[in-house]
Amino acid sequence: MRGTGFQSIVVLTGAGISAESGVPTFRGPDGLWEGHRVEDVATPQAFRRDPALVQAFYDARRAALARVEPNAAHRALARLDAEWPGDLLIVTQNVDDLHERAGAVRMVHMHGELKRAFCLACGERQTAPDTLSDGPACTRCGAHGRLRPDIVWFGEMPYHMDRIEAALAACDLFVSIGTSGAVYPAAGFVQGARHYGAHTLEINLEPSEGTHVFHEARHGRAGDLVPLWVGALLDRDRFRLNQPET
């Protein structure tokens, strides 16, 4: 660990943090994602084969966002974002907007966003309309029926990797919240952070596939554990900053 206190933090969040708000996790115990095989709705090949199915699937997921709200874990990370005096980057694997609605700003979506669309004609990324199934026009080039969900599907490169890798190399605390530890490249972030000397913490409902790689782990509901961790971290940092110099 660099120095005696943390200065730079990277937080990785996964499906587990949003599951407590009622957002379905990526893959259920039956291997399906909201009743569909992942191969049928989350690959470029699936979109080419049956674009109507894929568009309808993501239209339904986009509509479902209106029925969920940020939970205590999202709000705690927004508090950390607002009050942490050092560097912070929240990296989410989730495509929902719950972090933003809770108030987080210093963050990136590495797997894209449900409320964004990507134009296959001109490459413009833009706010998605409520539905893409009816082939709306691109706001930049005007092409109809060329918008797809701005989601990173299997076989595609995650977004913001240069920024994420730079933050991992510079951080002295890496925290993983609500992740399975099974999906790469995110599952390898802990090894990267440790390589550069960061302390690492897992907060998850149960041990992940990568728990053994972390320096410490806390298991339970994110809505319970994340506010406690954030509160202790901010209080400790304030205590350290208020100490008289010797």
Side-chain angles (χ1 to χ4, degrees), residues 6-7 27 37 45 55 58 108 139 155 164 171 185 187 189 222:
F6 302 126
Q7 302 296 325
R27 203 187 282 259
R37 294 192 316 147
Q45 295 82 3
Q55 295 283 33
Y58 287 98
V108 294
T139 58
I164 293 168
C171 77
F189 289 174

Side-chain angles (χ1 to χ4, degrees), residues 8 17 25 67 76 102 115 141 146 167 172 184 186 221 224 236:
S8 178
I17 193 171
T25 54
R67 300 193 292 270
K115 290 192 171 183
C141 71
R146 299 290 285 160
D172 43 36
Y184 284 83
R221 287 173 49 85
D224 297 329
R236 180 174 61 187

